[in-house]
Amino acid sequence: MEYVLGIDGGGTSCRAALATADGAVIGRAKSGAANIRTDLTGARTNIVDAARLAFIDAGRDPDLVPQAGAVLGLAGANVGTYRQQLEAILPFAGSRVETDAEIALEGAVGSGDGAMAILGTGTAYMARHNGKARPIGGWGFQVGDQGSGARVGRDLLEQTLLAHDGIRPASPLTDEMMAVFRNNPEAVVEFTTNAKPGDFGGFAPKVFEHAAKGDIVAAWIVDKAVSDVEAALNVLDLREGDPLCLLGGLAPLYAPLLSARYSALLKPPKDDALGGAVSMAARYFGSKGNG
Amino acid sequence: MEYVLGIDGGGTSCRAALATADGAVIGRAKSGAANIRTDLTGARTNIVDAARLAFIDAGRDPDLVPQAGAVLGLAGANVGTYRQQLEAILPFAGSRVETDAEIALEGAVGSGDGAMAILGTGTAYMARHNGKARPIGGWGFQVGDQGSGARVGRDLLEQTLLAHDGIRPASPLTDEMMAVFRNNPEAVVEFTTNAKPGDFGGFAPKVFEHAAKGDIVAAWIVDKAVSDVEAALNVLDLREGDPLCLLGGLAPLYAPLLSARYSALLKPPKDDALGGAVSMAARYFGSKGNG
């Protein structure tokens, strides 16, 4: 095929990159949400729109869309039969639907062995050995996402209330938090009643910052979070020389705190998730292929 | 006053007990919700209805309601100005609005020194020394309620997913939980997305049961929960001879697990919360009074 497409679709937007058969990007575009779990046909519409706009951005005829091969990375593609349902209604000459994690891993470490840890409001991991990718975590902050911004922030509020009751030690950070909530524990509770993961996660950078200054409560929370992240890394079975990429907003905060075993493996990501989708598309449908 | 009333009002119903001046109950009744935070005038209506029905149940004229003194124990009475707002619109000859915890403590240990631990879907504590009551905890399961059914159940789901990922050990109980969710971790996540505290708490008795049989994951969760409950008891500053009452659905499960220091203080509750409100009313407004 002369053209290949990489698509990175999520709950707020859908990005597309058009490339020549060797994976050289010549056009980019963005459209609306592509949530295949909640709106399959709406997702298809936005995916096709983004693809057509990428052709236009490259100065090419958008009616060539049905001649391109596409790799799509979409959240929720690993659940139920959404992947098969979408593949059946896509207009491309060839399509492969992958999870958002798979294109992110390809972008970060390329097509060989390696692993990534997404450390943001949530946490999730993926490792690839001999072409086989294994996902870990990503189960949401309520009963998962250990070490995530949401969990670190929630831990801080919990420790703040325990300090208020005299059950656990107070610290400059818990005092600061009580002041944020006008020294009213009921205000903390009211905040948590409707707080979304990102609301809890908003407090996470402050926890890392105070931990670095020796705040005992912050240090306890961060130590636990680092140990939770390393417990997840332990099951990825990384070998010497495997690249390990940290992605997500907390990546720069975790990088200096990892033990020598993992800090020795850290590499900056080669490309982003959309770049990963493009290079998979070039491999499957273009001139880079062996597939 | 010839008559005193005890009122126990909550989010689902309002109970009233009519007693003679010495606190001997002669009539009981129940009406709808008395939630002063969400519906103050509706709460007043149901409180007055329950009081009138208690007079009728005792074979007395309900128009005598304005001649009775009442103690009301109401959830949320410690927040904002709800207590004062309600007292201003009640029809009784005298009224005192207390929290639900205060009438429960009075019912459990009487009017002297002592403490209670409410160990149910949530957890909360209250101790009284020399007439002064101190509440601890009760901040909700999201960032509080350590040791509660909701926290124990949430811990079980978290450990089940960690076992699924190979990060923490599996056990007969985590295997059983995965089977409940058709071995699909996504189904666990979906359950937690909309789960209320009581939904998590539904799993708690199973955790205690498996812990007693030596299940390693269940034992780890219960050990942590017992240590969280004892950490809260530690700040209540109990002295030898102080009665300690465990209330709530998990009370019989915790009682045999407490350390000797606290099991030596355990006493069965003298009465329930409504009985506590009646005896407070007899003390404040009846012939038992010194107030």
Side-chain angles (χ1 to χ4, degrees), chain A residues 119-268:
Chain A
L119 306 171
T121 300
T123 50
Y125 306 82
M126 187 173 263
R128 196 199 288 119
H129 288 127
N130 303 320
K132 206 173 144 43
R134 180 183 177 199
I136 291 282
W139 305 123
F141 96 111
Q142 199 59 266
V143 290
D145 287 8
Q146 293 83 6
S148 65
R151 289 292 294 259
V152 166
R154 190 175 76 178
D155 282 351
L156 174 59
L157 294 180
E158 177 164 0
Q159 294 301 314
T160 298
L161 289 172
L162 286 167
H164 170 82
D165 276 337
I167 296 173
R168 298 259 303 170
S171 74
L173 179 56
T174 64
D175 290 345
E176 188 183 322
M177 288 301 291
M178 279 311 291
V180 166
F181 289 98
R182 307 178 308 281
N183 290 306
N184 179 3
E186 285 286 343
V188 178
V189 176
E190 213 143 289
F191 172 85
T192 64
T193 307
N194 298 306
K196 301 218 177 326
D199 299 324
F200 288 108
F203 296 114
K206 191 186 281 286
V207 180
F208 281 85
E209 182 193 306
H210 277 74
K213 287 191 279 185
D215 183 283
I216 52 162
V217 174
W220 181 84
I221 294 170
V222 169
D223 285 353
K224 184 162 73 80
V226 170
S227 125
D228 284 340
V229 167
E230 296 217 345
L233 293 176
N234 288 346
V235 303
L236 294 180
D237 196 24
L238 298 175
R239 290 145 215 195
E240 219 184 302
D242 283 351
L244 168 64
C245 293
L246 305 187
L247 309 175
L250 298 181
L253 300 176
Y254 272 109
L257 301 176
L258 293 185
S259 61
R261 176 178 170 198
Y262 293 115
S263 62
L265 302 181
L266 292 182
K267 294 276 182 308

Side-chain angles (χ1 to χ4, degrees), chain B residues 13 26 39 46 64 110 143 150 158 160 174 188 195 211 236 251 257 278-279:
Chain B
S13 68
I26 56 172
D39 183 7
N46 284 327
L64 296 174
V143 290
E158 177 164 1
T160 297
T174 63
V188 178
L236 294 181
L257 302 176
V278 169
S279 58

Side-chain angles (χ1 to χ4, degrees), chain B residues 67-81:
Chain B
Q67 297 180 26
V71 166
L72 303 90
L74 302 170
N78 52 333
V79 182
T81 59

